[in-house]
Amino acid sequence: MPPSPFDRDRRNRRTMAAMFVVGLAMLALGFASVPLYRIFCEQTGFGGTTQRAAADVQVREATGHSMSIRFDSNVQPGMPWQFHPEQPTQTVTVGARSMAIFIAKNMSDKPVSGTASFNVTPTQAGAYFTKIQCFCFTQQTLQPGQEVRMPVLYYVDPKIIDDPDNKDTQQITLSYTFYPVEQDGKAS
């Protein structure tokens, strides 16, 4: 016996409702994907994302294990800042707190605000590079001609020594790029 028009209409309404729910779920996932990806990267170190620790964190130094840390600095083209590390490299004891200083100078005649993005290479080392304090955690504003020294307090987690993916890692590069912060619809 062929289905009645009533049964067909009911199935069509059910299918439409299901497709509407699937569409809403896809839209919600699209909005949630950026924060979920950020959380994933922060937790796993994926893509060279560094870890973050509280100032009172206790870490065991791996005596006899040292690593070279190289610092890279960039500014977005057109941003009127000079930005560079005070020392281009440091040799650190794995697990020991270390501090790097970056120097930024506003070369323009107006205040300029910027924010820094960062990453670590090799990317698999990002899970073990931990920042305690960093200028990259907040927006920076420099007045005309102002020069500032900006610290990064960090350590390399001793667990890196036992990670087979990092057995050949002898140098980690921490790279920063400063971008102008948009204020009132235009870059500062």
Side-chain angles (χ1 to χ4, degrees):
M1 179 171 192
S4 73
F6 177 72
D7 290 338
R8 195 174 316 136
D9 287 345
R10 189 166 20 128
R11 279 197 319 256
N12 286 344
R13 280 194 299 272
R14 225 183 352 218
T15 302
M16 283 278 258
M19 299 318 294
F20 181 73
V21 168
V22 168
L24 281 178
M26 291 175 67
L27 182 65
L29 186 59
F31 279 104
S33 64
V34 171
L36 289 174
Y37 181 73
R38 183 176 37 79
I39 291 167
F40 171 76
C41 289
E42 288 172 355
Q43 294 301 314
T44 64
F46 181 75
T49 303
T50 62
Q51 304 303 297
R52 196 168 171 177
D56 60 352
V57 67
Q58 298 296 317
V59 182
R60 170 189 57 83
E61 284 188 31
T63 308
H65 294 279
S66 63
M67 191 166 284
S68 173
I69 309 297
R70 187 174 84 78
F71 303 103
D72 177 53
S73 59
N74 305 281
V75 294
Q76 180 180 8
M79 185 171 184
W81 282 16
Q82 287 181 348
F83 174 58
H84 60 89
E86 194 170 67
Q87 290 182 285
T89 60
Q90 292 179 346
T91 300
V92 300
T93 300
V94 174
R97 289 179 185 220
S98 298
M99 184 186 313
I101 303 290
F102 284 78
I103 299 169
K105 183 174 183 178
N106 181 355
M107 304 303 288
S108 76
D109 59 355
K110 62 181 180 170
V112 177
S113 296
T115 187
S117 65
F118 55 88
N119 71 337
V120 167
T121 54
T123 56
Q124 70 270 17
Y128 303 101
F129 195 94
T130 305
K131 292 188 224 173
I132 299 167
Q133 179 185 344
C134 182
F135 58 86
C136 61
F137 296 160
T138 59
Q139 175 180 311
Q140 305 296 318
T141 300
L142 299 182
Q143 298 304 314
Q146 182 182 11
E147 181 175 291
V148 295
R149 298 177 77 231
M150 300 181 294
V152 178
L153 187 59
Y154 69 94
Y155 66 92
V156 178
D157 193 314
K159 293 176 189 168
I160 196 170
I161 296 167
D162 300 322
D163 182 359
D165 290 335
N166 281 292
K167 67 179 170 125
D168 296 324
T169 302
Q170 296 178 6
Q171 184 177 66
I172 295 175
T173 300
L174 176 61
S175 182
Y176 289 100
T177 301
F178 256 105
Y179 297 91
V181 173
E182 301 244 343
Q183 296 177 342
D184 301 327
K186 59 182 178 179
S188 62

